[in-house]
Amino acid sequence: MAAPRWSVLGFWIRGNSQGLGSVLILISKPFCSAAAASEPLNAQRLAEKLRAQKQEQVTKKEPVSTNPVQRRVQELVRYTQQLQRVHPNVLAKALTRGILHQDKNLVVINKPYGLPVHGGPGVQLCISDVLPILAKMLHGHKAEPLHLCHRLDKETTGVMVLAWDKDMAHQVQELFRTRQVVKKYWAITVRVPMPSAGVVDIPIVEKEAQGQQQHHKMTLSPSYRMEDGKMVKMRSSRNAQVAVTQYQVLSSTLSSALMELHPITGVKHQLRVHLSFGLDCPVLGDHKYSDWNRLAPQKLSVGILKKLGLEQSKARYIPLHLHARQLILPALGSRKEELNLVCKLPHFFVRSLRRLGLEMPNQDQSKNNEAR
């Protein structure tokens, strides 16, 4: 005789009469105990629970590497993905823990890796979304939203300035536009530039890169080029922008360097383009500008991969090692002195320095470099 069947809100149950009553009670209890209006809500919760369990199973299936460096790479990938799924309140709370400076006009935060400043296609969460929440956490529920004064790339970490009102934000933006703000970045580069200090003064323009994937990149638009040993003037692009970067090597090995970068101008992706195409020393983890024609993971030498404890197949997970280290704002409003803002390096940056054998400059060396 065929086993009897019952349907409980879409669940089909087969079995014999023994013990079936307890099974039905166990399954149908959440649904029978509420009114009909609440049944869709319970079904939704059950679906969410099942999805969470499925996601947990997928996570458990991911092989855990025995190499500590590769485990750290997996953690960075996971943290970056989680950052886009975190609740805005949680993100705002995390930003409050990284505040570098706060007064009646400005709030300066330490921007984390992988967090975009503005929204866009595929962006679920960005800094501009949490500014109202951040303001309320700092000044109470009646506080007006904070305002952005400048921007950093999604993958760039470090000093970021916010203002309490629009007028102050416009004043700070004007300081950036007129190049009155001193900006200093630190970057780990693949290869070492020659000479070890200098200025890159080459205009930058956005062009379409021809390859398997059509995409646009910023690239150099030099005014001169060498032909048969002679300097020949080139026709300048109408859309090219003046771009000037001062640089200095702080520490180096045979295959990598820690560099301090001082952008005089503020062109999109200026530092990455000047380092990669101007000095042939791309930033470690720059998978966009390490090759002009391709959008592909950065190709690293065997020596660097060995020091990092990685295989080339895992290079795609290396984060961009570009950090907004310091900002010096001139006197503004009621503040009569310049504001010197310094942000510590993120943990992954420090670990890479140690792995690659690059030394962190001490304060005395930094002061000597500034004096020079």
Side-chain angles (χ1 to χ4, degrees):
M1 181 177 177
R5 296 188 298 177
W6 291 268
S7 174
V8 182
L9 288 181
F11 290 89
W12 284 95
I13 305 167
R14 291 178 178 268
N16 53 32
S17 59
Q18 295 179 352
L20 190 59
S22 59
V23 174
L24 278 173
I25 292 172
L26 178 65
I27 295 178
S28 61
K29 183 177 180 180
F31 305 99
C32 298
S33 60
S38 64
E39 289 180 0
L41 180 61
N42 287 329
Q44 182 180 355
R45 287 176 180 172
L46 182 59
E48 290 174 354
K49 184 177 180 180
L50 291 173
R51 281 197 294 267
Q53 290 175 350
K54 184 177 180 181
Q55 181 64 33
E56 186 178 356
Q57 292 174 357
V58 172
T59 305
K60 287 182 179 179
K61 290 180 181 179
E62 183 180 355
V64 179
S65 174
T66 57
N67 187 310
V69 179
Q70 292 189 8
R71 282 205 306 270
R72 183 59 184 164
V73 169
Q74 291 175 349
E75 288 177 7
L76 280 171
V77 174
R78 191 165 64 252
Y79 291 157
T80 303
Q81 293 171 346
Q82 290 174 353
L83 198 57
Q84 287 295 307
R85 296 193 296 267
V86 74
H87 192 278
N89 288 0
V90 177
L91 176 57
K93 188 67 175 177
L95 293 178
T96 60
R97 290 195 290 266
I99 288 179
L100 306 174
H101 172 82
Q102 182 180 354
D103 57 34
K104 64 179 183 180
N105 295 319
L106 303 173
V107 175
V108 184
I109 62 173
N110 178 6
K111 179 192 168 299
Y113 175 84
L115 182 64
V117 175
H118 298 285
V123 175
Q124 299 176 5
L125 189 62
C126 59
I127 288 181
S128 60
D129 289 341
V130 301
L131 292 183
I133 304 172
L134 181 60
K136 287 179 172 58
M137 286 184 175
L138 297 175
H139 271 193
H141 292 289
K142 294 183 179 180
E144 294 293 325
L146 286 157
H147 301 272
L148 294 168
C149 296
H150 62 115
R151 67 180 301 275
L152 292 174
D153 291 341
K154 174 183 174 181
E155 296 86 2
T156 304
T157 58
V159 182
M160 186 161 196
V161 182
L162 310 172
W164 282 110
D165 57 66
K166 284 186 177 181
D167 290 339
M168 181 55 63
H170 289 323
Q171 291 182 50
V172 177
Q173 290 166 3
E174 186 64 15
L175 292 177
F176 276 94
R177 191 187 68 80
T178 55
R179 304 171 189 172
Q180 298 183 56
V181 179
V182 178
K183 299 172 288 184
K184 293 186 179 181
Y185 290 73
W186 280 13
I188 297 178
T189 61
V190 178
R191 296 184 288 275
V192 184
M194 291 296 292
S196 60
V199 175
V200 182
D201 185 359
I202 307 176
I204 291 177
V205 67
E206 187 171 18
K207 288 185 178 179
E208 183 178 354
Q210 300 298 327
Q212 293 181 350
Q213 296 174 287
Q214 285 191 342
H215 56 282
H216 288 79
K217 288 183 180 180
M218 308 301 288
T219 188
L220 301 178
S221 180
S223 303
Y224 295 87
R225 68 180 179 185
M226 295 294 293
E227 286 188 3
D228 300 327
K230 296 181 179 180
M231 191 79 75
V232 178
K233 186 173 178 61
M234 298 178 62
R235 180 181 297 177
S236 59
S237 172
R238 188 176 298 176
N239 299 321
Q241 302 178 67
V242 174
V244 182
T245 303
Q246 185 178 356
Y247 73 91
Q248 179 170 346
V249 175
L250 301 178
S251 176
S252 65
T253 63
L254 292 176
S255 57
S256 59
L258 171 63
M259 295 180 61
E260 184 175 77
L261 309 167
H262 177 200
I264 308 300
T265 55
V267 180
K268 177 183 176 182
H269 296 169
Q270 172 181 319
L271 298 179
R272 297 163 67 181
V273 172
H274 274 173
L275 286 175
S276 185
F277 302 146
L279 295 174
D280 193 29
C281 299
V283 180
L284 179 64
D286 193 346
H287 308 293
K288 182 170 185 175
Y289 287 104
S290 292
D291 190 301
W292 166 248
N293 291 316
R294 297 189 308 156
L295 282 173
Q298 187 178 42
K299 284 191 175 180
L300 299 173
S301 66
V302 176
I304 290 182
L305 289 171
K306 186 176 181 181
K307 288 180 179 179
L308 294 177
L310 294 174
E311 301 175 355
Q312 179 59 48
S313 60
K314 301 294 184 182
R316 69 177 68 244
Y317 300 122
I318 298 177
L320 183 74
H321 286 64
L322 181 61
H323 178 68
R325 170 72 173 176
Q326 184 179 17
L327 276 183
I328 302 177
L329 291 171
L332 186 65
S334 59
R335 181 169 41 82
K336 304 302 180 184
E337 299 177 352
E338 67 179 19
L339 184 60
N340 187 7
L341 304 162
V342 180
C343 183
K344 66 179 182 180
L345 297 172
H347 294 304
F348 73 85
F349 199 112
V350 176
R351 286 191 180 93
S352 296
L353 287 176
R354 292 172 182 165
R355 284 274 175 175
L356 295 171
L358 297 168
E359 296 180 358
M360 181 97 68
N362 56 38
Q363 291 182 354
D364 293 336
Q365 288 175 321
S366 298
K367 289 179 181 178
N368 291 336
N369 292 338
E370 290 175 6
R372 289 172 189 171

